[in-house]
Amino acid sequence: MKDALTELLLTALAKLVDDGTLPEKPAVTPQLDHTKDPSHGDLATNIAMVLAKQAKRPPRELAALLVAALPPNSLIDRTDIAGPGFINFFLSQASNTQAIRDVLAAGDQFGESNIGQGRKVQVEFVSANPTGPLHVGHGRGAAIGDSLCRLLTATGWSVHREFYYNDAGQQIQNLALSVQARALGKTPEDPDWPSDGYRGDYIIDLANAFMAQESVSAADREITASGNADALDDIREFAVAWLRREQDADLKAFAVIFDEYFLESSLYSEGAVEQAVSALERNGHTYEDGGALWLRSTAFGDDKDRVMRKREGGYTYFVPDVAYHLNKWQRGFERVINEQGADHHSTITRVRAGLQGLDAGIPSGWPEYVLHQMVTVMRDGAEVKLSKRAGSYVTLRDLIDWVGRDATRFFLSARAATSQLTFDVDLALSQSNENPVYYIQYAHARVCSVKQKALGLGGDWTPEAGLAHLDSLQESEALTLALTLGRFPEVVAGAAQRLEPHDIANYLRDVASELHSFYNAHKVIDEAAREVSLARLALLEATRQVIANGLALLGVSAPESM
RNA sequence: GCGCCUGUAGCUCAGCUGGAUAGAGUACCUGACUACGAAUCAGGCGGUCGCACGUUCGAAUCGUGCCAGGCGCGCCA
């Protein structure tokens, strides 16, 4: 719809260039916006104000010339010149209801596009180390990252979902020592409990499973415990697999899947870390000082230079990260998006600096980052800080257990990632009009119910039959809704382009609201008025489809009854 | 002290690649079920868009400076 109107405007502009009103072909394509106020029409453009200066005419006069130059068409009912020089377009009834045809024709593919043209993009998200259950921050990352993947897929990208973790570092050593201590009957209160040990109750379960020689299989590994409490390597390996399995269970409950799990340890074992370091040395971006090897990251915009190899020999944490990203680049991902908590934002400059220093032809803004701010959980009017199981933090599993998967996903992805998020457990739990998830799902279920009733009448009481009578849709509520449905592809494309899944949640709120308004104002099934009834049925089915498609992008279910 | 994010209605938040009287939910008040799902709808109340300058025909949106909150500033990961 927007595109068709843009074409008309371009034709009109070309005509004005021909007759000398405009000195040259405008460099910008006209901007068309959906209006907030119905008295401003359905779509509006500010192009006359933008071009007023070079046309050397007042905006309103230019607008009038532009309107006069519009080719004849069936899209526009009438136009209006308003305010300082806006051109308002009032769409024809047929344009308004076109979306209904489009939706029913495309079905669950409505909203999709081929903007990505099949190009590869890798999205790394969650990337939790296997030292404990996933916390709410990981949950936010999982919800946002997964929705980003769905949005990118819907817009024609070939998406690779990756989870990166460290299975061999100091934190894992602390984990193994903690499990061993539990296996030997110690508690965190004992004086010889490992310093920096993990204190959560899950360590007890883990130790018991190890001693019972249990077998565990996670998405990317499986192992049987030796049950030998003296064998720290055995414990380490088992603990990692056990926690990976735990995390997989949580991710599965959250409907989040990955194509690949990438181990930090593999970067060492396959020499990728050493190769990256040598390349940086060879390119002259390093120097030694105080027994350590430094990266001259200030040459790439960092505040200060960073230590790469510590005096005692080990590499600092960002070095394998550089090697990892070089690996991503070498795998052919010219586009990479990392979704992570904002508390790690300081690594961005370092990793990019390291990548630049490799002289591997990597663009300076690569990879892209989506950072989410912190989540605080509120319940009964107070902040919840502890989980029984994990001890020091609220887990993703806690949230799912409390409010269910749909509400958890919706709440975690319905806000801009850049905003701190307050997760109100009581609100997410309420089965009432207070809860936006139910509000949207209710709209879907309501349509399903009406559709069932219509289909029960037999004959041609189907949404498809209504397509022949769309011109009988005349009420403002119906036309408003139809126009909103037609915006869905733009909304999806915009959310994917800006990497902002919360746009979808906001849009669905609007759709549900307009559906409910229409529904309350007009009876859908009236056997005495077949044509308009069938047309309304088609409108409802199109609405249902758009809600289902939108919820799918958020990983939220679209129930037929509630 | 430095960097990043945030500051919009009592509360939770949209709007932020500049556009027309600043939106939604919630809370509060008033109405609507002998109707296909009232988990709904209609109406009302409620805002110096943190503050101040600046750019612009036009600023919540862009720039600068303050103020407030969060996160990060390790030879920890």
Side-chain angles (χ1 to χ4, degrees), chain A residues 14-35:
Chain A
K15 214 178 281 182
L16 293 190
V17 174
D18 286 347
D19 70 14
T21 308
L22 284 168
E24 57 187 338
K25 189 169 176 289
V28 292
T29 53
Q31 180 184 332
L32 268 175
D33 293 313
H34 295 276
T35 58

Side-chain angles (χ1 to χ4, degrees), chain A residues 32-366:
Chain A
L32 268 175
D33 293 313
H34 295 276
T35 58
K36 285 181 265 186
D37 184 335
S39 71
H40 296 149
D42 299 304
L43 291 163
T45 181
N46 63 355
I47 191 69
M49 289 179 284
V50 173
L51 297 178
K53 200 169 282 181
Q54 56 172 280
K56 299 199 174 68
R57 288 172 192 275
R60 291 187 63 109
E61 185 182 325
L62 181 61
L65 292 169
L66 203 48
V67 167
L70 281 171
N73 64 85
S74 60
L75 297 177
I76 304 170
D77 196 35
R78 63 191 174 88
T79 59
D80 205 12
I81 295 166
F86 290 101
I87 304 173
N88 296 330
F89 298 98
F90 294 78
L91 297 178
S92 66
Q93 199 273 352
S95 310
N96 269 298
T97 55
Q98 179 59 36
I100 299 171
R101 294 178 200 284
D102 296 344
V103 177
L104 293 193
D108 59 13
Q109 292 180 3
F110 184 72
E112 295 182 3
S113 60
N114 192 30
I115 297 164
Q117 298 179 311
R119 281 171 291 172
K120 287 170 68 174
V121 57
Q122 191 240 33
V123 182
E124 182 203 328
F125 61 114
V126 185
S127 292
N129 283 338
T131 55
L134 299 176
H135 54 64
V136 290
H138 294 128
R140 192 175 191 190
I144 292 172
D146 183 61
S147 287
L148 284 176
C149 289
R150 292 169 191 248
L151 282 166
L152 289 165
T153 301
T155 49
W157 291 85
S158 173
V159 180
H160 186 78
R161 304 151 161 263
E162 196 153 308
F163 183 118
Y164 173 74
Y165 70 94
N166 179 0
D167 65 330
Q170 186 56 44
Q171 298 306 318
I172 300 296
Q173 182 69 2
N174 292 341
L175 170 72
L177 289 169
S178 308
V179 174
Q180 183 177 52
R182 281 291 191 183
L184 297 172
K186 293 176 193 165
T187 70
E189 286 69 43
D190 290 345
D192 58 344
W193 183 259
S195 58
D196 300 324
Y198 291 89
R199 310 163 79 93
D201 285 354
Y202 64 95
I203 298 291
I204 302 172
D205 299 337
L206 218 178
N208 290 339
F210 178 78
M211 296 311 286
Q213 302 185 352
E214 283 183 14
S215 297
V216 297
S217 60
D220 65 326
R221 55 175 69 217
E222 56 180 279
I223 190 174
T224 298
S226 71
N228 177 1
D230 295 327
L232 198 59
D233 286 346
D234 291 359
I235 295 175
R236 184 187 300 113
E237 228 182 315
F238 180 78
V240 168
W242 194 90
L243 281 164
R244 282 282 327 111
R245 184 188 63 179
E246 287 280 293
Q247 295 182 352
D248 283 345
D250 291 348
L251 290 170
K252 189 177 175 191
F254 212 41
V256 173
I257 55 157
F258 288 90
D259 297 308
E260 182 165 352
Y261 291 82
F262 196 101
L263 297 183
E264 183 185 290
S265 61
S266 73
L267 295 165
Y268 286 98
S269 62
E270 289 169 20
V273 175
E274 287 295 343
Q275 282 165 29
V277 172
S278 328
L280 289 170
E281 288 180 310
R282 203 163 51 239
N283 294 337
H285 296 303
T286 64
Y287 60 92
E288 297 216 19
D289 185 40
L293 181 69
W294 295 71
L295 174 69
R296 206 183 310 277
S297 54
T298 47
F300 303 104
D302 203 353
D303 299 346
K304 47 186 168 184
D305 292 340
R306 306 289 172 178
V307 169
M308 296 174 64
R309 192 187 313 125
K310 294 176 267 185
R311 198 180 307 138
E312 74 267 19
Y315 290 110
T316 54
Y317 69 94
F318 86 94
V319 178
D321 234 23
V322 171
Y324 176 42
H325 282 86
L326 175 61
N327 174 284
K328 292 184 185 183
W329 179 258
Q330 289 168 338
R331 276 189 277 160
F333 293 114
E334 291 185 19
R335 186 170 190 206
V336 164
I337 299 164
N338 291 335
E339 202 294 341
Q340 53 189 233
D343 53 340
H344 293 104
H345 92 271
S346 62
T347 69
I348 296 175
T349 311
R350 254 165 264 188
V351 169
R352 284 182 178 161
L355 291 169
Q356 290 305 297
L358 293 171
D359 289 340
I362 298 173
S364 58
W366 188 97

